Amino acid sequence: MQSLSTETRPLSEESLRQKAKDLHVEYVNLPALKLDKEIGQLIPETMARRSRMVCIGKLDKKITLAMADPDDIFAIDDVRLRTHLDVTAALATSDAIEKAISFIYGDQTAIQEAVKEAMDAADKIEFLKESDEDEKEVVIDTPIIKMVNQIIFKAAEKHASDIHIEPFEKEILVRYRIDGVLHEIMNAPKNLLPAMVSRIKIMSSLKIDEKRMPQDGRIHMLIKELNRDLDIRVSTLPTLSGESVVMRLLDRQNMKVDLNALGIELKMLQDWKNLADHPYGFILITGPTGSGKSTTIYATLNILNSSEVKIVTIEDPIEYSLKGTNQVQVNPKVGLTFATGLRSFLRQDPDIMMVGEIRDRETAAIAIESALTGHLVLSTLHTNTAVGAVTRLLDMGIEPFLISATLLGVLAQRLVRVICQNCKVRLENPPEPLLNAFKEKGIKDYQLFKGKGCQVCAETGYKGRIGIYELYIPSAQAKSIISRGASEDMIEKKALEDGLENLYEDGLRKVAQGITTYEELCRVTSRE
């Protein structure tokens, strides 16, 4: 017994220094160091916890890791590949590393405990047959419930827009998309995947015994602690390593329906409102998935909504409820598509019609025909630029003269992260390309800032997002070019001659105003 007591006694500092010397590394006394959270978060929390290590320093292109096992070459290689930086290892105690991780990443005990409970119940979960109704109840009674609930709760707490649960060969990776960027939150043993997916499928009324086909569902959840009423869109996808799940969190209460609060520049905003005031015509909002198109179209409908007009929408899915509008959910299983819904709308005597997305020629043709026959039609389209919407419609097979006759305007948009107000500091040395861009665009007055990183913004330097926009309103001459089936280059050249400002230029103004950073603008617009 005496021998066992000696073996479990913590090593003295002298012994630790000798151990470090034997391993040819330095020993660091972590409690005595002043840790920098921003540097610490150069590596993901899950990686730090899994390999019992913490990043304690960075100099040029080299970082220093305090590790419980500095001989763990696999962990060191993982960090090197993840950060593209050279790594120097140092020795520290496991207890000190755990405390340092808690300080750097914040307290994640609730979700970690939920994972541990689920792991403890893994033997029971592993043998569940999801197709059996009785055993379905067993899944509901396991600690998996707590684990899934914690994953959703933490995502809501951090104002994440999406939760990604991704299976790999030996583990499950959970990531949150916060302000448009994915953050690794945790990982769990692979054998928990079937029960996790089953729990989510039960919550979203999906078939738990269907694993070979993608499925889409929905969860309505009230989180009392946060006073948030969430609609969660669920998508499952069979992959090589198992079913991947993505959950999109939609918060009705926090939906911005004020068009004036979206970040559209004043003159552009007035021009957009003028387009929406037309009694008939076709208006488009373009951009990739997650660029805020739905928010803009709902905000636009909000200013058009009155007792004097009838508004009907067809959506997939209906993301937010708008009082006073007739909203229709697409249901392909019963033959209710965008195209069939639009045909029915015409018999409902609407003034304004909103189509969630133009996906095919048939939907585009009916929308344009509706615009020709005295309706105002709003919709979205996936293109990179506003001018690109014209060529996309042409590629779908829409006649050029129909486009020129109905298209009122196209608003293209992206979302950029906003500098955190809590840790905002002035940028002392602006990058040369930014100064050159200001000079080229004639921007002389600017105040540049950056976020240092703090607990409010999870050390990212950003909190929240705002839109950058370009509005294309074809002139009479431009419509003449479009009607002749001109190429995108020719249409864009004419648009620039008519004064079109692109997304990058609108973003530069927001950089000059100290709203976002040049690095963020370049990330979103793919500029270097």
Side-chain angles (χ1 to χ4, degrees), residues 376-415:
L376 181 65
V377 181
L378 293 84
S379 190
T380 69
L381 196 64
H382 287 280
T383 63
N384 291 325
T385 64
V387 170
V390 176
T391 51
R392 180 78 180 98
L393 291 171
L394 289 170
D395 290 342
M396 284 181 174
I398 304 301
E399 294 291 344
F401 74 90
L402 289 175
I403 299 173
S404 63
T406 58
L407 188 64
L408 298 175
V410 185
L411 184 72
Q413 65 179 79
R414 300 288 189 280
L415 292 175

Side-chain angles (χ1 to χ4, degrees), residues 203-347:
M203 294 171 73
S204 51
S205 301
L206 298 179
K207 296 179 180 178
I208 62 173
D209 57 343
E210 177 55 80
K211 301 179 181 180
R212 297 170 298 175
M213 295 292 292
Q215 296 188 71
D216 296 308
R218 199 161 189 157
I219 302 168
H220 180 244
M221 179 176 286
L222 177 64
I223 303 180
K224 293 181 181 178
E225 295 94 329
L226 304 176
N227 192 27
R228 294 186 66 184
D229 189 5
L230 293 180
D231 271 336
I232 304 173
R233 286 160 47 186
V234 179
S235 172
T236 67
L237 181 71
T239 71
L240 181 65
S241 300
E243 285 186 278
S244 173
V245 179
V246 175
M247 294 184 279
R248 170 154 290 187
L249 280 60
L250 305 170
D251 191 340
R252 295 175 185 269
Q253 295 168 324
N254 291 335
M255 171 65 176
K256 284 184 180 179
V257 291
D258 184 1
L259 197 59
N260 300 304
L262 301 184
I264 306 176
E265 184 265 333
L266 195 59
K267 182 182 181 305
M268 189 186 298
L269 179 61
Q270 190 55 55
D271 290 341
W272 178 251
K273 288 180 177 179
N274 290 339
L275 290 182
D277 279 339
H278 278 70
Y280 58 88
F282 192 33
I283 299 175
L284 281 170
I285 301 174
T286 75
T289 300
S291 60
K293 300 188 298 297
S294 295
T295 301
T296 302
I297 206 165
Y298 277 111
T300 305
L301 287 175
N302 200 45
I303 64 168
L304 295 173
N305 195 5
S306 75
S307 59
E308 299 173 355
V309 297
K310 178 167 183 173
I311 301 175
V312 291
T313 77
I314 183 160
E315 308 170 58
D316 184 24
I318 297 173
E319 296 190 7
Y320 299 99
S321 177
L322 284 178
K323 186 178 180 181
T325 63
N326 298 274
Q327 295 175 270
V328 178
Q329 167 69 53
V330 166
N331 188 354
K333 292 179 181 178
V334 297
L336 180 54
T337 63
F338 282 116
T340 56
L342 275 174
R343 287 196 190 94
S344 300
F345 282 1
L346 296 175
R347 294 189 289 273

Side-chain angles (χ1 to χ4, degrees), residues 95-255:
D95 287 346
I97 289 172
E98 285 295 327
K99 290 177 182 176
I101 286 173
S102 295
F103 170 76
I104 289 170
Y105 301 100
D107 186 16
Q108 291 287 330
T109 54
I111 198 165
Q112 293 296 331
E113 286 176 4
V115 173
K116 185 178 183 301
E117 286 183 29
M119 287 170 61
D120 291 342
D123 290 340
K124 182 179 181 182
I125 295 167
E126 199 169 6
F127 297 105
L128 293 178
K129 296 176 182 177
E130 298 162 346
S131 60
D132 189 287
E133 285 297 320
D134 294 333
E135 290 183 325
K136 186 192 297 184
E137 295 300 322
V138 178
V139 176
I140 295 174
D141 290 338
T142 64
I144 286 292
I145 292 177
K146 183 176 179 181
M147 182 179 177
V148 171
N149 286 348
Q150 280 295 335
I151 289 171
I152 295 174
F153 176 82
K154 289 294 180 183
E157 190 177 51
K158 292 174 179 290
H159 295 281
S161 61
D162 301 86
I163 303 170
H164 292 246
I165 300 175
E166 302 162 308
F168 294 98
E169 186 179 356
K170 296 181 179 179
E171 64 182 4
I172 307 162
L173 185 64
V174 178
R175 298 192 288 175
Y176 294 162
R177 189 177 294 279
I178 302 171
D179 292 334
V181 178
L182 282 170
H183 297 268
E184 187 175 322
I185 300 301
M186 58 161 279
N187 57 18
K190 180 69 175 292
N191 64 337
L192 297 183
L193 180 66
M196 285 180 68
V197 175
S198 292
R199 172 59 183 160
I200 294 167
K201 284 182 176 179
I202 290 169
M203 294 171 73
S204 51
S205 301
L206 298 179
K207 296 179 180 178
I208 62 173
D209 57 343
E210 177 55 80
K211 301 179 181 180
R212 297 170 298 175
M213 295 292 292
Q215 296 188 71
D216 296 308
R218 199 161 189 157
I219 302 168
H220 180 244
M221 179 176 286
L222 177 64
I223 303 180
K224 293 181 181 178
E225 295 94 329
L226 304 176
N227 192 27
R228 294 186 66 184
D229 189 5
L230 293 180
D231 271 336
I232 304 173
R233 286 160 47 186
V234 179
S235 172
T236 67
L237 181 71
T239 71
L240 181 65
S241 300
E243 285 186 278
S244 173
V245 179
V246 175
M247 294 184 279
R248 170 154 290 187
L249 280 60
L250 305 170
D251 191 340
R252 295 175 185 269
Q253 295 168 324
N254 291 335
M255 171 65 176

